[in-house]
Amino acid sequence: ARGIIADQKQMLREMGIISEYLFPDLDGEISNPNSIYKQWYTYRKQHGIKCSIHEPRHTHISLLK
């Protein structure tokens, strides 16, 4: 987990995003959940994915157990 956090912080620096948040929007502000949902909706539609944004998360957690 620490490696993932370090990678995320590095990616933000490389993109020039200065923020107190670990997963900010492109302006460095707190992410809007509706914006994330809309992006997921568009992505899944383009790639023929039928699950909600929460299903992969729950699957991943179940696999970790």
Side-chain angles (χ1 to χ4, degrees), residues 8-56:
Q8 176 68 11
K9 288 180 177 181
Q10 178 63 31
M11 183 190 73
L12 291 173
R13 279 192 295 275
E14 289 172 3
M15 294 176 69
I17 298 174
I18 310 294
S19 178
E20 64 182 288
Y21 304 108
L22 188 56
F23 298 99
D25 64 12
L26 294 175
D27 295 325
E29 299 298 320
I30 194 165
S31 297
N32 179 336
N34 292 328
S35 174
I36 294 167
Y37 175 78
K38 287 177 187 177
Q39 289 174 349
W40 171 251
Y41 183 80
T42 301
Y43 180 85
R44 74 179 198 155
K45 193 173 174 183
Q46 290 172 342
H47 297 281
I49 299 170
K50 298 188 189 240
C51 66
S52 73
I53 195 170
H54 299 287
E55 290 176 53

Side-chain angles (χ1 to χ4, degrees), residues 52-64:
S52 73
I53 195 170
H54 299 287
E55 290 176 53
R57 176 183 172 268
H58 291 292
T59 301
H60 179 73
I61 290 170
S62 295
L63 291 172
L64 289 175

